[in-house]
Amino acid sequence: MEHSYFFIAMIYLAAAVVFIPIARKLGLGSVLGYLLAGMVIGPSLLGFIGQEGQDIMHFAEFGVVMMLFLIGLELEPSLLWNMRAPILGLGGLQVLITTAVITGCALLLGQPLNVSLAIGMTLSLSSTAIVLQSLKEKGILSSAAGQSAFSVLLFQDIAVIPMLAIFPLLAGTSTTHSNGHSLRDNLPAWMQTFVVLGAVVVIIVAGRYLIKPLLRIVARARVRELFTAFALLLVVSISVLMSVVGLSPALGAFLGGVVLANSEYRHELESDVEPFKGLLLGLFFMAVGASIDFKLILSMPWVILGLVIALMALKSIILLVLGRIFRISIEQNLLFGMSLSQVGEFAFVLLSFTFQYNILPQGTVSILTAVVAISMAITPLLMMLYERLIQPRFNVTDKNTREPDEIHLQEKHPVIIAGFGRFGNIVGRFLRVNGIRATILDLDTDRVDTLQNLGVKVYYGDASRQDLLEAAGAMDAKIIIVAMDTVEQTLEVVKVVRKHFPHLQMLVKAENIPDTYELMDLGVLHIYRETLDTSLRMGADALNMLGVRAYHAHRIAGTFRKQEEKALKGLSAIRNDKKLYINTVKERIEELEKLMANDKITRWNSPAQGWDESSLINEANGEQ
Amino acid sequence: MSKILILFAHPALEKSRVQSQLLAALRGLQGVTLHDLYEVYPDLNIDVRHEQSLLLQHDIILFQHPFYWYSAPAIVKQWQDLVLEHGWAYGSSGTALRGKRMGNVITAGGPETTYSKEGWHHHTIADFLLPFEQTAILCNMQYIPPFTIYGTHRLTPSLIQEQAVAYRQMLEQLRDEQTRI
């Protein structure tokens, strides 16, 4: 079937737009929605897309690379270091034991050793894309099970490197269709190690000393798409570098992300890459769905179904035993075992290798490919079952034994400060000395740099972007302080917050009266006119210098401020009627002047009456 | 010669007839420091360390204020609550004020006769000032009986002047005497 690119793009996008809302509405999660969409538009059912689905899958695998880059961004190096035990222990044991057991099973089924080992290694891996995306979507990536699953997946990404090296050795005959793209292949073993280590060092050093200054320059250009382009370039470059030296691009991107996790541009990078990652992952899931060959499955349903069940059960049992050893609580362990029971996307690559290297015959590869795809498609269903059936029991019976989140991928601050100029700066410092931590977003690159040099943690980014606010923790924050440099920016931020984060209390800086009116129209309750308090303080000091008692000046300034704010509220309603507005303003001014001039100012300044003894004196003298 | 600190509290001095004259009378008096609380702390945000160091530099502390609702204006209470810290002014290790003397200088609207058991207010000024007296005792200080100007509502300017002169003399005597009054 030959279609234009646009037609294919239309099919994929339409399928996503139709299926995802339905899947979410049914509580299936977006991963399952994409998989279903892929099945429906794939060659087996509607046939909108044909064999090109395979190519699209390879292309869309880049989404996994991006996802790991993003996960790396949220993981500071120290946190990664803290996870070394689960990564090496749990991950290492999972890969080794699963490979051994599956190899043994294949041997028992009469396969030769090299074939068995190839199958064992291939099927020991799990799907980073499906697991992490599902866990993230359910918000349980930071739970004990989520962290353990993440550790295992990370180790699997590392384990792919030696696997790729071993595969050519497993080939019975020397291969004609070799896959030797990698620079490493023609080098002696010690050089290969050297190249691999070199690539890792390059990423770390470049991330520190090259990327950070480059990001600054790009950000200063103030062309938004340029930053996006740079972010993509970064991820693509890492992938290219990794492919050249024969490493996993996902692993490289993850490393790159970790190196940049401390950067002030973290949130900006995150929100720029995020949509691409989402689309590509969606595409990837659809391609996986489309690759399920229903004809093959229908021709031997019991074999394939049996293989899927046996494989997933086996992998789960190994994971459960490991989880038990690593002291994960029962409830979390079940989730852990279930979530990693499928075979990963990398199996598709390894399976095509096994074919290229003549390790496996075409028939076996097809069956295994179907098994892998089905196991991936079942995983979101399993997680849903876990959520619906298993988790509620534990919540009811032993709520208190639920383990707390072990590692927080991101610090959560109760306050977000949008705009860290003269105004936000003071608010931020004031909160800070009172022990309140705030996530600070600012749009001025030079200012961000200066503050960074002073050791203040400020993130460069536009707070009027929903994704960026979300990355800054708007979901968990309580308060947002909006103190942008211009009115337009302020209004944008307020609108976005009102729409997407209605739970956030907004404290908004206004420059003048028209701004205040606009903010009132938007329903903002806490508006702070930039100059009001300062000018009144100045006025009070002037009065004081002219001989008015400081306390009286202080009180009268406070009363003036309250009066002013009250008047504004009244005027806001009628400000579009010019004539009425002007008349009312005139009246208000006269009223105020009258109050000030009148000896009975005390009545306006009513609490002061208590100290006014004139009536007492009159009474006392009248008694005489 | 003792050093006297006058902690002055009047929220509306601009309306005062007697207190303003008392202030004028003590102007230029050697060894007497006037500390105008409402003027220094219009927001009632009292600088505790500064107040404590002032106290340490003086031997006699006088609260000078109009008699509002049988007590002092609000800032005096705020001052007491914040400055007279446990462990500093009182308590087992609170000995900073030991040996100092404390008292009140009061202007009251009603005549002296109303401040008696039989009078309008049923108690004497000294009775009403019991919290100040006990505060002084708790802070290891000696309480000086109050200097009171009664009947301020009916005082004529010349009578006010007389009282102001008397006040100045009282301060000089307090400053120069060797022992207790």
Side-chain angles (χ1 to χ4, degrees):
Chain A
M1 232 183 277
E2 282 295 316
H3 296 301
S4 74
Y5 283 121
F6 279 124
F7 181 76
I8 295 171
M10 187 185 79
I11 292 297
Y12 274 108
L13 291 173
V17 171
V18 171
F19 276 86
I20 304 311
I22 296 176
R24 293 218 68 141
K25 189 107 197 167
L26 295 175
L28 299 177
S30 67
V31 178
L32 200 56
Y34 281 122
L35 288 166
L36 285 172
M39 288 179 208
V40 171
I41 59 173
S44 303
L45 286 177
L46 296 182
F48 281 130
I49 49 166
Q51 283 311 306
E52 74 270 15
Q54 286 290 331
D55 301 331
I56 284 172
M57 198 192 311
H58 289 310
F59 169 69
E61 262 173 42
F62 194 58
V64 183
V65 175
M66 288 180 159
M67 180 165 71
L68 273 148
F69 178 71
L70 291 175
I71 289 170
L73 271 182
E74 286 189 9
L75 202 66
E76 302 205 350
S78 56
L79 283 177
L80 183 62
W81 183 244
N82 288 341
M83 287 172 71
R84 64 195 185 279
I87 292 173
L88 294 178
L90 201 55
L93 285 172
Q94 187 272 335
V95 173
L96 281 178
I97 295 174
T98 313
T99 304
V101 171
I102 296 176
T103 305
C105 291
L107 278 173
L108 286 178
L109 290 172
Q111 299 286 346
L113 180 65
N114 64 335
V115 174
S116 304
L117 199 56
I119 293 175
M121 289 195 294
T122 306
L123 300 186
S124 70
L125 303 176
S126 309
S127 171
T128 309
I130 288 191
V131 178
L132 289 192
Q133 185 64 23
S134 301
L135 291 176
K136 236 183 158 166
E137 202 171 273
K138 295 188 194 304
I140 46 179
L141 190 53
S142 56
S143 67
Q147 290 295 313
S148 304
F150 178 69
S151 305
V152 171
L153 289 168
L154 209 57
F155 184 85
Q156 290 180 355
D157 266 321
I158 301 168
V160 163
I161 305 161
M163 285 186 189
L164 284 172
I166 293 170
F167 263 62
L169 306 177
L170 295 176
T173 51
S174 75
T175 153
T176 42
H177 31 227
S178 156
N179 199 41
H181 300 307
S182 154
L183 181 78
R184 259 178 17 180
D185 293 350
N186 306 320
L187 295 172
W190 66 270
M191 273 294 275
Q192 289 192 16
T193 319
F194 185 73
V195 167
V196 169
L197 286 178
V200 172
V201 171
V202 163
I203 289 184
I204 294 174
V205 173
R208 274 267 158 91
Y209 301 103
L210 183 69
I211 309 297
K212 281 185 186 175
L214 274 178
L215 277 170
R216 210 159 292 149
I217 294 167
V218 170
R220 206 171 290 162
R222 288 175 194 276
V223 182
R224 188 183 270 186
E225 62 271 21
L226 193 66
F227 201 95
T228 310
F230 188 76
L232 289 178
L233 175 67
L234 197 65
V235 182
V236 173
S237 311
I238 294 173
S239 301
V240 170
L241 174 70
M242 287 287 122
S243 307
V244 165
V245 300
L247 281 182
S248 146
L251 195 66
F254 173 72
L255 203 62
V258 174
V259 173
L260 291 174
N262 288 325
S263 152
E264 66 269 36
Y265 296 105
R266 180 178 110 188
H267 290 310
E268 189 80 356
L269 282 172
E270 233 173 271
S271 48
D272 273 338
V273 177
E274 181 80 37
F276 292 98
K277 177 216 86 173
L279 277 178
L280 281 178
L281 268 188
L283 194 58
F284 173 75
F285 294 137
M286 282 196 275
V288 170
S291 75
I292 295 178
D293 187 348
F294 285 100
K295 263 181 232 140
L296 180 75
I297 295 169
L298 287 177
S299 69
M300 44 173 84
W302 300 116
V303 174
I304 290 178
L305 201 65
L307 276 175
V308 170
I309 292 171
L311 184 67
M312 294 186 83
L314 194 68
K315 292 191 76 168
S316 293
I317 290 167
I318 293 170
L319 288 163
L320 286 173
V321 172
L322 286 175
R324 185 94 208 161
I325 294 170
F326 278 78
R327 306 223 171 126
I328 305 173
S329 72
I330 299 175
E331 175 238 353
Q332 291 283 307
N333 199 12
L334 283 171
L335 175 63
F336 170 65
M338 227 173 233
S339 65
L340 290 175
S341 64
Q342 78 298 103
V343 183
E345 55 275 5
F346 207 73
F348 295 124
V349 181
L350 289 180
L351 284 173
S352 70
F353 273 22
T354 58
F355 175 57
Q356 282 165 0
Y357 287 122
N358 294 328
I359 302 171
L360 289 176
Q362 172 71 53
T364 315
V365 170
S366 300
I367 293 173
L368 287 178
T369 306
V371 169
V372 171
I374 293 174
S375 76
M376 285 168 81
I378 287 177
T379 304
L381 272 177
L382 278 180
M383 287 203 201
M384 207 174 73
L385 283 177
Y386 169 83
E387 209 176 33
R388 298 261 165 94
L389 298 178
I390 298 175
Q391 202 182 24
R393 289 170 186 235
F394 282 95
N395 278 350
V396 172
T397 51
D398 56 355
K399 215 173 194 169
N400 293 327
T401 59
R402 242 190 95 164
E403 284 181 37
D405 299 348
E406 280 180 349
I407 299 167
H408 297 281
L409 285 177
Q410 207 178 328
E411 265 187 287
K412 290 186 172 97
H413 294 160
V415 178
I416 296 173
I417 299 179
F420 208 57
R422 317 169 281 178
F423 197 94
N425 190 310
I426 296 171
V427 182
R429 273 170 42 211
F430 177 70
L431 291 178
R432 196 186 162 79
V433 296
N434 285 291
I436 306 287
R437 302 294 302 258
T439 305
I440 302 163
L441 298 170
D442 196 89
L443 253 181
D444 188 314
T445 37
D446 293 325
R447 194 155 65 206
V448 170
D449 287 348
T450 315
L451 288 165
Q452 278 281 326
N453 288 337
L454 291 171
V456 184
K457 198 149 179 101
V458 180
Y459 294 105
Y460 169 78
D462 182 354
S464 67
R465 286 174 55 174
Q466 183 219 342
D467 45 0
L468 211 131
L469 279 175
E470 201 166 332
M475 281 304 186
D476 302 296
K478 293 193 181 80
I479 284 176
I480 183 165
I481 284 158
V482 186
M484 308 296 285
D485 286 343
T486 70
V487 196
E488 292 74 28
Q489 291 170 349
T490 300
L491 292 174
E492 283 305 306
V493 176
V494 167
K495 282 176 194 159
V496 169
V497 171
R498 211 173 61 141
K499 188 168 168 202
H500 297 286
F501 310 102
H503 69 283
L504 276 182
Q505 293 244 54
M506 274 192 277
L507 284 82
V508 185
K509 178 202 85 168
E511 266 168 43
N512 46 37
I513 293 176
D515 300 357
T516 312
Y517 288 154
E518 287 205 53
L519 288 168
M520 282 175 177
D521 283 355
L522 286 172
V524 178
L525 295 175
H526 308 285
I527 304 169
Y528 301 85
R529 241 162 76 205
E530 200 173 31
T531 48
L532 185 61
D533 295 69
T534 323
S535 32
L536 282 175
R537 211 153 55 78
M538 192 195 239
D541 283 352
L543 279 182
N544 188 225
M545 284 177 195
L546 290 170
V548 174
R549 296 272 297 166
Y551 187 56
H552 181 68
H554 174 77
R555 284 174 48 79
I556 212 166
T559 314
F560 187 96
R561 186 169 55 80
K562 271 188 200 142
Q563 198 75 7
E564 175 91 356
E565 280 170 352
K566 208 173 107 192
L568 268 195
K569 272 185 192 141
L571 287 172
S572 169
I574 54 158
R575 73 174 197 274
N576 290 326
D577 187 337
K578 270 232 163 76
K579 218 167 148 189
L580 183 58
Y581 179 78
I582 291 172
N583 284 340
T584 316
V585 171
K586 268 189 193 159
E587 270 172 36
R588 287 285 151 91
I589 294 171
E590 277 167 23
E591 197 182 328
L592 203 63
E593 278 172 357
K594 235 189 266 170
L595 280 170
M596 294 288 199
N598 197 322
D599 211 14
K600 289 244 163 69
I601 191 168
T602 46
R603 199 161 290 282
W604 173 57
N605 202 4
S606 62
Q609 264 190 305
W611 303 318
D612 189 346
E613 291 164 350
S614 51
S615 59
L616 273 173
I617 293 168
N618 289 341
E619 203 176 298
N621 289 323
E623 279 169 18
Q624 277 183 316
Chain B
M1 197 172 87
S2 305
K3 281 185 170 171
I4 301 176
L5 175 65
I6 294 176
L7 297 171
F8 176 72
H10 199 313
L13 186 65
E14 58 275 18
K15 291 171 184 152
S16 141
R17 291 164 64 241
V18 184
Q19 287 285 357
S20 55
Q21 292 308 308
L22 296 186
L23 287 188
L26 60 83
R27 196 164 292 150
L29 207 54
Q30 255 219 327
V32 176
T33 309
L34 174 68
H35 189 41
D36 187 344
L37 291 177
Y38 273 111
E39 191 67 8
V40 178
Y41 305 116
D43 52 1
L44 302 199
N45 192 1
I46 287 166
D47 181 348
V48 175
R49 299 293 156 252
H50 176 68
E51 293 303 311
Q52 289 179 346
S53 81
L54 266 181
L55 290 180
L56 292 179
Q57 289 162 31
H58 294 83
D59 310 301
I60 298 169
I61 294 120
L62 295 178
F63 292 106
Q64 180 186 332
H65 56 87
F67 203 49
Y68 283 170
W69 286 111
Y70 310 112
S71 185
I75 202 169
V76 173
K77 186 68 166 63
Q78 176 91 336
W79 184 95
Q80 290 174 325
D81 293 349
L82 293 173
V83 179
L84 302 177
E85 282 176 330
H86 177 250
W88 186 82
Y90 70 101
S92 55
S93 61
T95 54
L97 302 175
R98 171 160 298 178
K100 296 186 191 298
R101 285 187 280 171
M102 203 185 98
N104 294 72
V105 176
I106 306 269
T107 50
E112 191 168 3
T113 49
T114 60
Y115 288 99
S116 65
K117 207 158 190 240
E118 302 75 29
W120 186 259
H121 299 294
H122 300 295
H123 296 277
T124 64
I125 293 272
D127 287 345
F128 287 122
L129 290 175
L130 184 62
F132 283 91
E133 186 176 347
Q134 179 54 31
T135 299
I137 292 166
L138 193 68
C139 295
N140 309 300
M141 287 186 284
Q142 190 197 341
Y143 187 67
I144 308 167
F147 177 88
T148 310
I149 300 170
Y150 291 100
T152 56
H153 292 334
R154 294 185 196 169
L155 283 184
T156 60
S158 60
L159 283 173
I160 292 174
Q161 272 311 312
E162 264 175 44
Q163 292 288 346
V165 170
Y167 178 45
R168 186 182 170 99
Q169 284 167 354
M170 188 277 284
L171 287 177
E172 282 169 341
Q173 195 187 342
L174 203 56
R175 179 193 67 189
D176 299 332
E177 70 180 355
Q178 289 308 307
T179 49
R180 60 210 329 258
I181 351 169

